């Protein structure tokens, strides 16, 4: 079941989502958190940084696993998701441990299997943050006829490559393949927070709530999870 919270503005949505983290970390300081990259969570991460600096949230015992990483890419590459997370969160908030799939591995399949094993060994996610792509992807689980259960190497969809081209300058090569968390670790999460912002997401959000499970809309599978909250601003809600 998806609980939908529409906030007046992006700033309000960031505060609402940050309250969810505050409650989660208070209840379980050693929470296992799943984290996303992209434009949408940046304001939320800034809110978490402020609250952490103000002593209102303590992440020092929490462990994190990110949803995805480009492939192949060096962790030190400015466009890697490791670099993104260091810039926007990890360099500013202390966590017990932060993991992201290794975009430099020679054996991506072993990397994915190992990542799933690490998430399972950690007990699965207490709180998993997801965004949604304009094509309905979650993590980099792109619309397809069938889906691997575990984490996997995925060819990015044309829509995703176009949407993410805004992050790359003309002289930078944009990766077209990624390592993505699979459906199993996502559905093992006790609680899922989907965070969405902007008018460019209104069409896909409308389809997400049309009362159907769509095989070509991976986010619609979330209707089958028992504890999903989607926090979105008015622009994304289409209201
Ligand atoms: C990123 C991720 C993606 C994004 C989605 C939305 O780690 O898993 O699913 O959440 O592409 O990205 P933004 O927020 O840039 O619109």
């Amino acid at each position: 079941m998806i609980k939908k919270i529409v906030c007046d503005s992006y700033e309000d949505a960031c505060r609402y989502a940050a309250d969810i983290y505050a409650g989660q970390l208070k209840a379980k300081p050693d929470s296992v958190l799943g984290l996303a990259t992209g434009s949408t969570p940046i304001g939320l991460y800034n809110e978490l940084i402020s609250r952490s600096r103000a002593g209102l949230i303590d992440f020092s015992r929490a462990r994190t696993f990110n949803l995805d990483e480009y492939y192949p890419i060096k962790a030190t590459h400015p466009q890697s998701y490791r670099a993104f997370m260091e810039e926007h969160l990890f360099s500013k908030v202390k966590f017990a441990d932060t993991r992201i799939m290794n975009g430099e591995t020679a054996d991506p399949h072993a990397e994915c299997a190992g990542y799933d094993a690490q998430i399972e060994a950690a007990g699965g996610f207490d709180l998993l943050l997801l965004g949604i792509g304009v094509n309905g992807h979650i993590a980099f689980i792109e619309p397809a006829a069938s889906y691997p259960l575990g984490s996997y190497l995925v060819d990015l969809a044309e829509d995703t490559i176009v949407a993410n081209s805004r992050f790359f300058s003309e002289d930078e090569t944009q990766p077209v393949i990624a390592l993505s968390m699979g459906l199993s670790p996502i559905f093992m999460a006790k609680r899922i927070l989907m965070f969405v912002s902007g008018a460019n997401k209104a069409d896909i959000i409308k389809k997400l709530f049309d009362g159907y499970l769509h095989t070509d809309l991976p986010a619609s599978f979330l209707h089958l999870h028992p504890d999903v909250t989607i926090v979105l601003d008015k622009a994304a809600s289409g209201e």
Side-chain angles (χ1 to χ4, degrees):
M1 214 206 85
I2 304 185
K3 184 174 158 195
K4 192 175 168 190
I5 308 287
V6 179
C7 299
D8 281 341
S9 65
Y10 175 64
E11 292 70 27
D12 282 352
C14 291
R15 283 189 285 270
Y16 191 99
D19 286 347
I20 293 178
Y21 281 87
Q24 176 65 40
L25 273 295
K26 197 164 181 216
K28 191 168 186 253
D30 60 348
S31 288
V32 178
L33 306 174
L35 296 178
T37 55
S39 317
T40 317
I42 293 177
L44 168 60
Y45 291 158
N46 287 338
E47 182 66 26
L48 295 179
I49 292 163
S50 315
R51 293 190 192 198
S52 151
R53 286 183 174 154
L56 300 171
I57 308 186
D58 178 11
F59 287 100
S60 64
R61 291 177 58 200
R63 287 177 294 167
T64 71
F65 291 86
N66 263 78
L67 291 170
D68 34 33
E69 177 59 284
Y70 287 124
Y71 186 80
I73 200 162
K74 282 192 180 350
T76 50
H77 190 288
Q79 291 288 0
S80 76
Y81 282 172
R82 167 55 77 179
F84 176 98
M85 291 306 297
E86 293 295 336
E87 180 185 347
H88 293 286
L89 189 64
F90 297 156
S91 60
K92 294 162 182 160
V93 172
K94 187 181 164 351
F95 289 90
D97 189 32
T98 62
R99 298 199 184 183
I100 301 183
M101 278 183 273
N102 175 11
E104 300 178 52
T105 180
D107 188 345
H109 303 290
E111 176 66 22
C112 290
Y115 201 63
D116 288 346
Q118 290 168 44
I119 295 168
E120 199 175 342
F125 296 110
D126 294 296
L127 178 61
L128 171 67
L129 178 66
L130 294 175
I132 187 171
V134 284
N135 63 355
H137 73 209
I138 48 174
F140 275 142
I141 302 174
E142 301 285 20
S146 60
Y147 299 88
L149 293 173
S151 298
Y152 66 117
L153 191 66
V154 58
D155 289 329
L156 296 176
E158 198 52 41
D159 292 334
T160 303
I161 295 168
V162 170
N164 286 0
S165 63
R166 68 191 192 280
F167 296 114
F168 293 84
S169 59
E170 260 176 29
D171 56 341
E172 276 178 323
T173 313
Q174 185 181 353
V176 293
I177 300 177
L179 300 162
S180 177
M181 195 177 285
L183 289 168
S184 286
I186 290 175
F187 273 77
M188 259 169 38
K190 296 183 185 71
R191 194 174 173 204
I192 295 176
L193 168 62
M194 178 175 264
F195 192 58
V196 188
S197 161
N200 64 328
K201 301 287 171 67
D203 286 345
I204 199 70
I205 292 298
K206 192 170 168 213
K207 187 168 173 187
L208 179 61
F209 286 101
D210 71 357
Y212 286 81
L213 191 145
H214 296 274
T215 49
D216 64 350
L217 173 43
S220 74
F221 305 159
L222 295 172
H223 287 290
L224 303 177
H225 188 281
D227 192 349
V228 181
T229 302
I230 174 166
V231 176
L232 65 173
D233 58 14
K234 267 219 172 96
S237 76
E239 284 175 14

